[in-house]
Amino acid sequence: MQKIFNLACGSFYALGAYAGVSAVGWYVGAGGPPALFIVPLVLAGLAVGVVGLVVERGLLSFVYDRDETFQLLMTFAVVLVMEDAIRMTWGTSPRSTGGLYLAYGQIRVLGATAPVYNLIVILASLVIALAIGWLLTRTAFGRIIRATADNRDMAEALGVDMRRVYAKVFTLGTMLGTLGGALVIPATAAMSEMGIELIVEAFAVVVIGGLGSMRGAFVGALAVGILRAIAISVYPELEMLLIYLIVIAVLVVRPRGLFGAAEA
Amino acid sequence: MGAAAVVLAVAAIAAAPLVVSTYHALLMLPFMAYAVVLLGLNLLFGYTGLVSFGHALFIGLGAYTGAFLTTHAKIRSLELILIAAGALGALVAAPIAALCVRYVKIYFGMLTLAFGMVFYTFVLKFYRLTGGDEGMPFLRPTLLGLRLDAMPKIDYLVGPYYYYSLAVLALAALAMWRIVHSPFGLCLKTIRDNPTKAETLGIGVTRYRFYAFVISAIYAAVGGALLGPPTGNVDPTLAYWTHSGNIVFMTLLGGFTSFFGPVVGAFVFIYLQNWVMSVVPYWRLIFGAMLALIVIVAPEGLLGLVSRRRAAPAARA
Amino acid sequence: MILRASGLTKLYGDFLALDDVSLEVDAGEFVSIVGPNGAGKSTLINILTGVTRPSAGSVRVRDHEVTGLPPASLARLGVARSFQLVQVFPDLTVLETLQAAVVARLGRGRRFFASLARDREVQEGALEVAELFGLGDERHVPARQLPQGDKKLLDVASAFALKPEIILLDEPTSGVSTADKTAIMDTLVTASRRVGLKAIVQVEHDMDIVFGYSDRIFALHQGKVLADAAPAAIRADQRVMDTVVGRKAGVSRAPAC
């Protein structure tokens, strides 16, 4: 929405993941009932999203007027800083919450066994997606965001405080990233390369779905997820390769992605 | 930068192995390799206005070409390796460039990033061919036909290999200087400054961007090949996207508006990184902060600052 | 015949910017395209210079069908243009800008290793055009530092440096003070003779300039051709004068010709 391609969004995701692990670890250590572990997880995820505000106010706000290249490089700077910041705080070996997520048990769905936790995450992401959609279309704030995305100067002329809007949007985006990272943790593990690896996937999602479209991001994520699953079961070596090739194909055939706004 | 400064710099680099410690002399080797890469990258960045986030692909390509030739094809001639690297770089760059130059700015960056990662994944996954994440050995190449296998590794690297690299860098710089000051170079600058107007003057923007891309890929591949022998091994991380980001960082650090800026950037980056790592392992944190600072305060890099300070008194005259 | 546009139509969604517009320009002609804002003048110029494709119709340069060709190809076929919102190369000096045009004209763009500084033809060609347009003293000034009027001149000069057959000028005197307008136009006319230019087409709002320099006036209104005739006939046509000039009866000064 801000038309910045944020290379650091993967880093925020990783931050959320690590914070989540720590929060859950502390919670369990403090004797909390395993069934409620999801609470500190989510809270941690949301809390560290505040980092987004710091990044936006402290760094990005200086480069909004510059060439897109410099904005991109600025987010790359954030990637570098966060990579080491995470390493400094949590070390380099993978962290996880162990088998805690099985506390919710497993169920049989469509002939396969899946942990209930995974279904909870899917449900949660659907709820969040709908909430964002509602925010954008039904609230005044949402309208302001869309107007700003469409025509920044006009919105400013109409009295919208750009700095506040950008700060809020970026922070919200960051929080979603950190929350996502936290939620995913129980099913996988937090690794130091998480951030920089994710960005390529995230970028694939955005390209396929289209820059600047929420619906596109949703569809794109779905597409990438499904494609990966198919690739893994059919021909594991090709997994990410297939994704990248599709990204390239999309950029060539329909650079706007499936739902994106034209720009090139 | 004045001609005198350049001559002095070359002399200093040439004298280095005799004057500084072996450790520091060894650091000069990746510097020279990156300098070659960056000379090419800046043709694309500073002179044509395109930022590629996937050039590590060509560095990796050049490195793996050399490794493959020495290990599997039993070809050890560095001359042949460099030529092969350059040729392969051009070959692979051509279709990629043909596609990417039709897009601008952020789409270009994204496309190049995607291609870079395609190559990375390919190298990583097809381990039977490439050795996967362990990489491939790059055996000691022969220099101008001289097989120097008997020499102890350090002596080889700080001696003949050092001066060979310097010669390659000097030739590469000379060639790039001529390119930048040629009619072709002027056309590139017009595309950078105002592609619409360049078109109306009869300069085919896409076509010239294509040439610039291919030339920069050749340089990156040659530089990549030079990176191999010092460590004796090449691995997929050479092609990872953050590596592409780092070389763009180096270019920005030294200054993309001047010819030697990126070379200075490579030097500062390598030495600073080395020094920082000896004190604390978190060089990325510091460099990230540095990059942010540069972008905000001094986007024209170190050499840009120097020329700004030199210009100020002149303006008052 | 230098340029012939036939039946040009341009649709932007539902909006008809041009409706069956035909224009023919012969050697030796100075044609002014006039019309109120939104009449389709810029669209016409953009189609004639390859920036936009027409929805229907064709454009021929001499005997070549050039409809839909990109600007670079048209430039090489002898069609040059200048811009309404002045377009320069900000970081290139006046001389470098003109050199680029000469390089393009001579087809030397692919000389990767040749020395630009030692290319006598390019150097002299660029200098000649610079002096023709009175920019000789500023030849080493980066375009971004030039005063607005000189930027305009540079934009036009670089088009002239292509030694084109025909040049299309999009409001060459817009943004220029009245005192400078005639100076620019006179420079233009002198330059065109020196460069061997065969025809000039300009979009212009200043009717004094239009009547002062044109051989023919081409009036557009709401995408359609309103009139296509010599200045005297246009001046006598009240309907055209009202549409293009407004309710002011006639021109305020006698034209120069």
Side-chain angles (χ1 to χ4, degrees):
Chain A
M1 292 265 135
Q2 284 178 271
K3 301 236 170 37
I4 296 180
F5 185 59
N6 184 7
L7 289 168
C9 75
S11 311
F12 292 130
Y13 177 84
L15 183 66
Y18 277 96
V21 172
S22 294
V24 171
W26 167 86
Y27 173 80
V28 168
L36 288 175
F37 84 94
I38 203 170
V39 172
L41 189 71
V42 169
L43 286 178
L46 288 171
V48 285
V50 169
V51 160
L53 187 66
V54 173
V55 168
E56 200 275 336
R57 291 280 93 216
L59 292 172
L60 283 180
S61 52
F62 293 104
V63 288
Y64 284 138
D65 291 327
R66 305 280 199 81
D67 195 73
E68 288 167 21
T69 310
F70 287 112
Q71 293 170 359
L72 202 65
L73 284 167
M74 181 58 92
T75 63
F76 182 64
V78 175
V79 169
L80 288 176
V81 170
M82 289 198 62
E83 215 187 314
D84 264 2
I86 288 177
R87 217 169 272 170
M88 265 169 47
T89 324
W90 283 285
T92 48
S93 44
R95 303 287 205 91
S96 84
T97 53
L100 207 56
Y101 72 111
L102 289 170
Y104 292 137
Q106 304 183 311
I107 70 169
R108 284 192 68 87
V109 175
L110 301 170
T113 325
V116 173
Y117 182 77
N118 290 19
L119 291 172
I120 293 180
V121 174
I122 294 176
L123 205 69
S125 53
L126 273 169
V127 168
I128 293 175
L130 286 171
I132 300 283
W134 176 82
L135 178 78
L136 283 177
T137 50
R138 295 296 163 87
T139 64
F141 183 55
R143 232 170 294 144
I144 290 177
I145 295 177
R146 283 183 293 137
T148 315
D150 218 17
N151 190 334
R152 176 181 153 189
D153 296 326
M154 182 89 175
E156 241 178 331
L158 287 173
V160 174
D161 187 346
M162 209 51 46
R163 322 193 77 212
R164 288 258 212 85
V165 172
Y166 276 178
K168 286 189 197 162
V169 170
F170 192 81
T171 311
L172 184 62
T174 311
M175 273 194 196
L176 288 171
T178 50
L179 181 61
L183 282 176
V184 118
I185 271 317
T188 58
M191 293 183 307
S192 53
E193 294 81 44
M194 253 181 128
I196 52 181
E197 286 201 355
L198 183 91
I199 187 62
V200 198
E201 250 188 272
F203 148 71
V205 167
V206 167
V207 166
I208 294 176
L211 261 174
S213 159
M214 285 294 155
R215 221 183 319 156
F218 186 74
V219 172
L222 215 63
V224 173
I226 294 177
L227 282 166
R228 272 194 88 178
I230 294 176
I232 292 180
S233 51
V234 172
Y235 199 175
E237 256 128 47
L238 284 193
E239 180 203 335
M240 281 318 283
L241 201 69
L242 184 70
I243 305 284
Y244 298 138
L245 290 175
I246 293 184
V247 165
I248 292 169
V250 170
L251 275 171
V252 173
V253 169
R254 203 190 158 91
R256 305 183 259 127
L258 294 173
F259 296 97
E263 242 243 39
Chain B
M1 285 189 92
V6 176
V7 171
L8 256 147
V10 174
I13 299 177
L18 310 165
V19 180
V20 302
S21 74
T22 316
Y23 179 73
H24 283 105
L26 279 173
L27 266 186
M28 296 291 285
L29 292 176
F31 152 65
M32 290 192 278
Y34 277 109
V36 173
V37 173
L38 291 186
L39 281 171
L41 186 71
N42 205 32
L43 183 70
L44 201 59
F45 186 1
Y47 290 95
T48 316
L50 289 174
V51 185
S52 162
F53 260 86
H55 253 57
L57 186 166
F58 302 108
I59 298 180
L61 188 66
Y64 270 88
T65 305
F68 189 85
L69 286 176
T70 58
T71 316
H72 295 289
K74 307 285 186 258
I75 295 176
R76 304 267 222 102
S77 155
L78 191 53
E79 296 79 51
L80 278 177
I81 290 173
L82 293 179
I83 293 175
L88 208 61
L91 215 69
V92 171
I96 295 178
L99 184 67
C100 294
V101 293
R102 291 169 205 270
Y103 302 89
V104 278
K105 301 226 175 188
I106 214 163
Y107 286 93
F108 179 79
M110 283 169 34
L111 263 173
T112 49
L113 197 150
F115 274 108
M117 290 306 286
V118 166
F119 182 76
Y120 168 79
T121 316
F122 172 79
V123 168
L124 190 68
K125 300 285 187 177
F126 286 88
Y127 55 86
R128 248 175 296 247
L129 185 68
T130 61
D133 65 342
E134 274 174 13
M136 196 190 287
F138 193 130
L139 304 174
R140 191 184 296 190
T142 65
L143 308 174
L144 297 173
L146 294 169
R147 178 174 273 250
L148 301 160
D149 287 1
M151 267 183 125
K153 181 160 191 187
I154 302 287
D155 292 347
Y156 168 80
L157 288 178
V158 175
Y161 190 75
Y162 185 97
Y163 290 101
Y164 194 96
S165 298
L166 184 57
V168 172
L169 175 59
L171 278 170
L174 216 70
M176 185 53 74
W177 181 269
R178 293 208 61 138
I179 291 176
V180 157
H181 290 90
S182 71
F184 172 72
L186 183 62
C187 291
L188 289 184
K189 290 186 223 177
T190 62
I191 295 173
R192 172 197 67 194
D193 276 12
N194 192 334
T196 315
K197 184 165 173 73
E199 278 275 350
T200 55
L201 285 184
I203 298 170
V205 169
T206 327
R207 181 171 301 192
Y208 281 80
R209 283 185 177 148
F210 173 82
Y211 293 137
F213 193 104
V214 173
I215 295 175
S216 71
I218 294 175
Y219 270 74
V222 170
L226 281 179
L227 275 177
T231 49
N233 196 58
V234 301
D235 68 78
T237 58
L238 281 170
Y240 205 69
W241 75 269
T242 46
H243 195 207
S244 295
N246 285 340
I247 55 178
V248 174
F249 184 169
M250 286 184 208
T251 311
L252 203 72
L253 176 62
F256 62 92
T257 54
S258 82
F259 183 82
F260 287 106
V263 174
V264 170
F267 187 81
V268 174
F269 190 100
I270 288 177
Y271 272 87
L272 209 58
Q273 180 188 33
N274 184 66
W275 178 78
V276 168
M277 287 223 279
S278 64
V279 176
V280 69
Y282 303 114
W283 68 272
R284 286 187 195 84
L285 186 81
I286 297 175
F287 273 53
M290 233 168 57
L291 178 60
L293 205 69
I294 293 173
V295 170
I296 297 176
V297 171
E300 287 176 10
L302 292 170
L303 286 195
L305 281 174
V306 168
S307 66
R308 245 197 269 167
R309 293 185 65 206
R310 256 202 251 136
R316 256 167 251 152
Chain C
M1 185 275 283
I2 305 284
L3 181 74
R4 179 191 291 149
S6 319
L8 289 180
T9 302
K10 181 67 187 175
L11 273 161
Y12 285 109
D14 280 338
F15 174 63
L16 193 64
L18 287 179
D19 189 358
D20 195 26
V21 171
S22 297
L23 167 66
E24 184 167 326
V25 182
D26 289 321
E29 290 197 297
F30 189 129
V31 179
S32 289
I33 301 179
V34 300
N37 280 325
K41 307 190 294 295
S42 278
T43 311
L44 181 59
I45 294 280
N46 282 339
I47 291 179
L48 293 176
T49 51
V51 174
T52 319
R53 298 187 79 124
S55 311
S58 78
V59 182
R60 297 185 78 87
V61 170
R62 288 218 173 266
D63 252 332
H64 305 282
E65 174 71 40
V66 298
T67 328
L69 282 184
S73 307
L74 280 169
R76 273 171 257 146
L77 281 170
V79 179
R81 75 168 287 174
S82 76
F83 294 82
Q84 179 188 356
L85 286 172
V86 73
Q87 298 280 352
V88 288
F89 300 118
D91 290 320
L92 295 185
T93 64
V94 169
L95 205 57
E96 284 175 329
T97 308
L98 298 172
Q99 285 169 354
V102 178
V103 165
R105 163 165 66 88
L106 294 173
R108 295 195 183 164
R110 259 174 290 180
R111 296 205 177 172
F112 296 103
F113 294 105
S115 166
L116 181 69
R118 262 176 282 173
D119 191 327
R120 178 86 50 88
E121 257 189 285
V122 171
Q123 295 296 324
E124 286 175 357
L127 196 59
E128 191 192 331
V129 177
E131 292 184 339
L132 206 58
F133 278 80
L135 294 167
D137 288 336
E138 291 167 306
R139 62 187 184 280
H140 293 302
V141 178
R144 65 161 82 239
Q145 288 174 15
L146 289 173
Q148 188 66 13
D150 286 348
K151 275 190 193 151
K152 261 267 149 162
L153 274 175
L154 184 58
D155 189 9
V156 176
S158 47
F160 270 77
L162 290 177
K163 290 212 169 101
E165 304 245 303
I166 179 171
I167 196 166
L168 290 100
L169 305 163
D170 199 346
E171 298 195 37
T173 66
S174 76
V176 169
S177 68
T178 326
D180 290 333
K181 283 196 195 219
T182 21
I184 290 185
M185 291 307 291
D186 288 334
T187 310
L188 248 155
V189 173
T190 320
S192 53
R193 250 176 255 136
R194 282 283 289 279
V195 169
L197 194 65
K198 303 235 174 46
I200 298 180
V201 175
Q202 69 164 1
V203 170
E204 186 52 78
H205 276 294
D206 187 326
M207 294 314 283
D208 294 343
I209 300 283
V210 170
F211 280 106
Y213 291 88
S214 322
D215 297 314
R216 219 166 97 219
I217 298 177
F218 189 81
L220 277 179
H221 182 51
Q222 287 175 349
K224 296 202 223 329
V225 181
L226 190 61
D228 181 1
I234 296 291
R235 202 201 310 259
D237 189 335
Q238 198 57 39
R239 185 188 48 140
V240 178
M241 292 308 288
D242 283 347
T243 316
V244 174
V245 184
R247 282 272 144 197
K248 228 169 34 164
V251 211
S252 50
R253 297 204 311 265
C257 65

